[in-house]
Structure formats: structure tokens, C-alpha cells
Amino acid sequence: MAERSSFVVVANRLPVDEVTTPDGERQWRTSPGGLVTALHPVLTEHGGTWIGWAGGTGEAPEPFDLEGIHIHPVPLSADELERYYEGQSNATIWPLYHDAVETPVYKRRWREAYRSVNQRFAQAAAEVAADGATVWVQDYQLQLVPAMLRELRPDLKIGFFLHIPFPPIELFMQMPFRAEVLRGLLGADLVGFQQRLAAQNFVRLARHLLGLRYEGQSIQVDGRKVKAGAFPISIDTREMERLAADPKVQARAKEIRAELGDPKTIILGVDRLDYTKGIELRLKAFRELLADGKLKVGDAVMVQVATPSRERVEHYQSLRVKVEREVGRINGEFGRVGVPAVHYLHQSYSKQELAALYVAADVMMVTPLRDGMNLVAKEYVACRADTGGALVLSEFAGAATEMRQSFLCNPHDPDGVKDALMRAVAAEPAELKRRMRVMQRHLRTHDVAQWAQTFLEALEVAAEGRAPESAE
Ligand code: ADP
Ligand code: F6P
């Protein structure tokens, strides 16, 4: 049997992409995400394993090592992709946990697949984890894993982190297999959330749904203690700053400005094409400001990057139609030959190109109706070492708790969004500088490495006192 790991990450996706080299060879590369960057030192120090789906359907690749991490792929069949990932995860839980801004869809056959795929992830973790190991389960796709894993391996220290919001009781109670999901999460020693309010929702739900008591800052479950707390995730701030300072990125930012016709104001949006992100309302605010004559095409231009996402899920298909219709309407009504009002880019970009866009943008619009955190908001701030630029930020993004010096707005109030955008456009450089500096200072001390360290230390404390039992 292969050597087992004392630190295991379990996430829906593996942090790797399969790429083809110039000589046609297929190779795995680590994907440039904040999570893998943050966990890399911990994983390499402990001979750590990352368990996840490699993308695609059918047989999974054999486990392999990459850059000091054991990679343990979990297979998904085409049917599971549809029922577990697109269905239960992204058409039921995703909308429900985001304030039901789209109507959640409930189907029994999706739940069965969610259960069996969660069981497969738990089984894989039980096999690779060493005695008394720390296992960190990530996100809403795997909420049943903590309890399933505890059943298989009571010796483990199990942490769970939810990257998306956790809804209030009234919403959570809609979910048909609600008690099972809650019990799934309660299998962990520590359940982490982006926001304090989300952790409070969880504690209240445990009392309401299962009658569990909250004592000494822990939920009491079957003679065990489960802690819940807020651990706001962040970005690799230094890396983002370094990227933005790169002369190639700076040159590209200038080129982007020139390509856009050197307007006074570049307004930028960067999001997955997701209905929680408030892309439509942002476009509408821009259209109304053009119609009101407060903004003028040529002086102001909007660039909306909308990364393709979950394209087979119906909610996402209808959103794409609506967004593209609105972009067409704005350009049709306000554009001129060679001078569109909105540049809409339904594509993925490299980190360098995104950084260049951030550096080029005068106003960054991050207007989700609900978002667990929103890393784009933090990336924009980290890229503006010049302390220029303005962040317009929805109060409903987790990032709003920390980025208090942004131009905050309520995305449900179109006039409020327009007002925040106009205040950002008109702000004096000295004011922008003052706001940016405070937010940048915060991000330097609250980066993704600090997030991971804080969570893992809290997990150690939470699991303390439970004598490690042997798994054998
Ligand atoms: P979510 O996790 O819901 O997609 P976040 O804003 O928290 O939202 O994180 C999005 C991440 O994806 C950011 O790190 C951002 O840089 C990256 N990203 C967004 N759009 C693109 C794109 N078009 N190409 C490449 N990366 C992107
Ligand atoms: O932020 C939530 C999240 O599910 C992340 O875990 C993930 O990286 C991102 O959204 C994209 O989602 P998906 O894995 O469904 O493409």
C-alpha cells in the first residue's frame, strides 16, 4: 500500500490541469489558484494528498505526484456529472445558499448521486489518510463527507470550509434532505464559513433542526464538540502585487487602454457568467447612466469579462441569453461605428491578462446579489499599487466586510448602484488613494496563507481532547 498522508485536502476539483506540450505530450500542471498556493507548503511538508475530480468523465487517471503533492483523482461518470455536479450541487444547493436569487430545483435522483459521490470522496480520504491525520474538506459539493469520513475513520481530525454563503434557517429548511446535510457537516471538528453571520446561521440551524445545544462555543453532538467560526478567505496578495508590477503587465495595461480608444473612464467587470454576480444589473445601471447623459460613449467604456461556467445548467443558459441581449441592446442604442459602449468577453484569460485589465481599469464593478467572498474584488485592490482606481462593491459580497473603503452599494437598488458608480467615477485621486491604501494594508496581513494557517490552527484546537483512536 502507498505511503499514507498526515494532511489531506478533499475538494470537488483537483488543483491540476492537463496540458499538451509543444511536442504533443500530455502533461499535468498545477492550476494557478489561491487555494493550492496557500496549501502547497502544508501539503509538501506533510507528504500531503489532494483528493478531487480531474474533470472529464469515465475512468480517473491513476494517482500521481506533482510538485511535491500526491494527487488522488476521483472518477465521475457522465450520469454523476449531470446529477451530482450540475444537478444537486449547482441547480439545488448553489441557488439555495445564494439567497435563492434563482429558484432552486429539487430532484430525488440528484440527491442519490450526491450521496454516492460524497461516499466515494470519503472512502478515498479514509484510504489515504494516516493515523490521526488532518483532513480538510472543501465546499458545498462535499457536505456529506465529514460525517461519512468520521464513520469510516473516527481517529481523524476533520475540518470543513464552506466557500459560499450559508443561508438563514428559513431558506435552508426548503431542502428536502436538510437533516442529512446538516449531520454531514456536523461530522467535522471545525466547520468554517466566510462570514460570522453564516456561522451563526449554522449554529441556530443545529438547534432548530436537530435540537443541539451550543455550549462553551461548541455545538454538542453525540458527546462530541463541533466548533463553527468565520475564516474569510483571501488571495495571494504578494503574488498579485508582483504580477501587477511586472513591466510586461504594465505595458499590456497601457495597450488595453489604447485599444479601447483611450477613454477617460474604463469600467470593468470580471466574473464567472453566474446569476449571483449581478452582471445584468450592472449593465442596466450603465445603460441608464448613458441614457441619462451622465456617462458618454467615448468618454466611458465598459469591459465585461464573463468566464464560461456550468454551461449545461439551465439557469446559466438563460442568464447568458439575458446578458448577451442586454449587451446587444446597449451597443445597439449607444455605440458608434468602431466605438462600442460595452466590450463583452465570454472567455477565460491568463492571470497576466487579468492583472493587466485590473491595472487598466478606473472603476472595478463587483456587484453580486450574494457572494461568499469574491476574490476578484481583492485581486483588483492588490493590483493597484499606483493607488489609483475605485472599487464599487456590493454589500452582499463577503468581501464587503473587509473592503470597507470601497464604494459600497446595495445591488437590489438600481439607483444606489448608479450613485456608487458615479461617485467612483467622479472621486478625486487623493480620495481614491486614501481608500486604496487602507484596503491594501489589510490584504497584506490577511492573505490566503494566513487564512489557511488560522483555519488549521483552529482545527488543531477544536480536535484537541479527542484522544486519537487507531483506525485499524
Ligand atoms: P467564484 O469563486 O464564484 O468564481 P471569485 O471572485 O471568488 O468567484 O473567484 C474567481 C476567480 O476566478 C478569481 O481568482 C479570478 O481571477 C478568476 N477568474 C475570473 N474570471 C476569469 C477569467 N475570465 N479567466 C481566468 N480567471 C478568471
Ligand atoms: O466559489 C465557489 C466555486 O465552486 C469554487 O469552489 C470554484 O472554484 C468556482 O466556484 C467555480 O466553480 P466550478 O468548479 O463549478 O467550475
Side-chain angles (χ1 to χ4, degrees):
M1 189 184 168
E3 202 186 315
R4 295 191 299 167
S5 297
S6 58
F7 181 60
V8 180
V9 174
V10 189
N12 177 54
R13 284 189 193 271
L14 285 170
V16 295
D17 296 315
E18 202 176 15
V19 293
T20 308
T21 61
D23 32 355
E25 203 194 326
R26 300 287 285 164
Q27 262 186 12
W28 291 100
R29 299 250 169 92
T30 50
S31 39
L35 191 58
V36 63
T37 314
L39 297 179
H40 200 261
V42 196
L43 283 160
T44 47
E45 191 185 328
H46 295 92
T49 299
W50 191 305
I51 296 171
W53 171 51
T57 52
E59 257 178 56
E62 284 300 310
F64 59 96
D65 288 351
L66 187 67
E67 295 172 22
I69 310 175
H70 302 306
I71 299 289
H72 190 102
V74 170
L76 287 187
S77 67
D79 182 58
E80 286 166 344
L81 179 71
E82 187 220 319
R83 296 193 290 150
Y84 148 77
Y85 172 75
E86 292 167 346
Q88 184 64 27
S89 297
N90 289 314
T92 304
I93 298 169
W94 181 270
L96 181 67
Y97 282 28
H98 286 86
D99 285 356
V101 295
E102 275 290 352
T103 309
V105 182
Y106 300 110
K107 290 202 180 163
R108 269 176 283 207
R109 51 191 290 279
W110 291 354
R111 286 200 287 285
E112 285 154 22
Y114 187 83
R115 262 186 213 116
S116 57
V117 172
N118 271 246
Q119 188 66 54
R120 186 173 309 144
F121 276 83
Q123 189 66 43
E127 280 162 21
V128 306
D131 280 2
T134 296
V135 180
W136 193 358
V137 184
Q138 310 284 329
D139 228 353
Y140 64 101
Q141 302 94 344
L142 300 176
Q143 293 174 98
L144 304 181
V145 169
M148 288 171 166
L149 184 55
R150 183 161 302 284
E151 180 77 28
L152 294 164
R153 292 286 306 274
D155 59 303
L156 300 176
K157 294 171 199 151
I158 305 174
F160 180 91
F161 184 75
L162 187 70
H163 291 250
I164 69 173
F166 191 76
I169 296 177
E170 311 85 272
L171 276 176
F172 189 89
M173 292 303 279
Q174 282 188 17
M175 191 142 61
F177 74 147
R178 58 202 185 187
E180 191 179 337
V181 170
L182 180 57
R183 281 202 198 91
L185 293 168
L186 287 166
D189 295 297
L190 173 65
V191 186
F193 300 90
Q194 303 276 24
Q195 299 289 307
R196 203 158 46 85
L197 268 177
Q200 286 169 357
N201 286 344
F202 179 72
V203 169
R204 288 194 190 119
L205 179 74
R207 188 173 50 222
H208 178 83
L209 189 56
L210 301 177
L212 298 175
R213 288 153 56 124
Y214 185 70
E215 261 172 28
Q217 305 200 324
S218 303
I219 305 170
Q220 313 290 315
V221 192
D222 309 330
R224 278 191 314 117
K225 291 179 179 166
V226 178
K227 289 225 179 228
F231 301 86
I233 199 169
S234 194
I235 55 167
D236 186 349
T237 310
R238 293 259 168 249
E239 172 59 15
M240 215 61 223
E241 288 176 342
R242 193 198 55 73
L243 199 61
D246 184 330
K248 283 198 214 109
V249 169
Q250 289 287 328
R252 176 67 190 135
K254 289 207 177 80
E255 198 175 85
I256 290 172
R257 275 205 94 89
E259 284 169 358
L260 292 170
D262 273 323
K264 268 199 238 144
T265 311
I266 298 175
I267 301 165
L268 177 67
V270 173
D271 316 79
R272 272 183 310 100
L273 186 51
D274 193 296
Y275 51 83
T276 58
K277 302 287 182 184
I279 300 171
E280 276 179 280
L281 69 93
R282 185 184 312 162
L283 287 166
K284 189 165 171 236
F286 183 57
R287 169 164 55 77
E288 289 189 7
L289 288 168
L290 290 173
D292 298 345
K294 294 199 170 133
L295 291 175
K296 288 203 169 33
V297 170
D299 284 353
V301 66
M302 180 175 252
V303 177
Q304 177 62 57
V305 175
T307 322
S309 182
R310 307 171 188 166
E311 288 182 282
R312 297 199 314 182
V313 179
E314 210 175 309
H315 291 133
Y316 290 77
Q317 292 171 347
S318 57
L319 173 74
R320 183 171 177 189
V321 170
K322 287 188 261 180
V323 165
E324 294 184 355
R325 190 190 298 142
E326 183 64 38
V327 170
R329 176 173 174 189
I330 298 174
N331 282 336
E333 282 179 28
F334 300 99
R336 296 197 304 271
V337 173
V339 191
V342 181
H343 291 250
Y344 167 72
L345 303 153
H346 185 235
Q347 297 162 40
S348 284
Y349 289 100
S350 66
K351 283 274 164 214
Q352 285 77 4
E353 183 70 3
L354 281 184
L357 281 162
Y358 293 147
V359 172
D362 302 291
V363 180
M364 181 82 215
M365 289 204 80
V366 178
T367 56
L369 296 163
R370 174 59 79 193
D371 208 331
M373 175 51 64
N374 200 291
L375 296 178
V376 164
K378 293 186 170 181
E379 289 171 356
Y380 177 70
V381 169
C383 278
R384 302 311 301 247
D386 59 342
T387 56
L391 174 64
V392 173
L393 181 59
S394 159
E395 292 163 8
F396 291 75
T401 311
E402 297 164 87
M403 305 285 99
R404 301 306 296 170
Q405 291 69 29
S406 57
F407 293 84
L408 289 169
C409 65
N410 172 3
H412 300 276
D413 168 17
D415 292 331
V417 174
K418 285 161 65 180
D419 179 57
L421 175 52
M422 287 316 294
R423 283 190 294 117
V425 168
E428 292 295 331
E431 182 190 348
L432 296 179
K433 194 171 196 164
R434 184 177 48 75
R435 289 175 182 255
M436 269 296 166
R437 277 213 178 125
V438 180
M439 295 192 284
Q440 287 174 345
R441 262 203 302 275
H442 175 83
L443 287 180
R444 286 199 191 111
T445 47
H446 295 77
D447 65 1
V448 71
Q450 183 263 351
W451 165 79
Q453 193 190 345
T454 310
F455 182 92
L456 290 171
E457 282 171 7
L459 175 54
E460 279 298 315
V461 174
E464 231 165 53
R466 272 200 309 104
E469 301 160 35
S470 169
E472 312 300 314

